[in-house]
Amino acid sequence: MSERLATIASASGLHARPAALFAEAAGALDIEVTIAPKGAPEDDALDASSILSLMTLGAAKGDEVVLRASGDGAEAALDSLVALLETDLDAV
């Protein structure tokens, strides 16, 4: 399983528009991606393609999250999702 650490860059955190954009990108992938706050047990990871899961995460600007995925293309998928999280999606 591959994993990446990302820092939330959006001013509103991972809420509303940024969460919707991220969930859409994660859902378009052919692999399952999970997200969890840094330091949370792996069992507490949530479905990264679910906007409701993302909003319950309560991730604010500057918070660190861990993305995990496995399978063909996992490395590239995680890299692209980290790039999204580390972009101010409120400004897009």
Side-chain angles (χ1 to χ4, degrees), residues 2-73:
S2 300
E3 77 175 50
R4 297 283 188 288
L5 187 64
T7 303
I8 306 297
S10 295
S12 66
L14 200 49
H15 185 71
R17 180 175 159 81
L21 293 171
F22 183 79
E24 181 179 351
L29 300 170
D30 291 333
I31 57 173
E32 181 179 322
V33 178
T34 63
I35 187 169
K38 180 182 176 186
E42 196 170 329
D43 291 345
D44 290 351
L46 304 169
D47 179 2
S49 66
S50 166
I51 191 167
L52 292 177
S53 292
L54 294 174
M55 293 182 68
T56 61
L57 208 72
K61 181 177 181 169
D63 287 353
E64 292 182 308
V65 294
V66 178
L67 301 175
R68 294 184 182 94
S70 58
D72 290 339

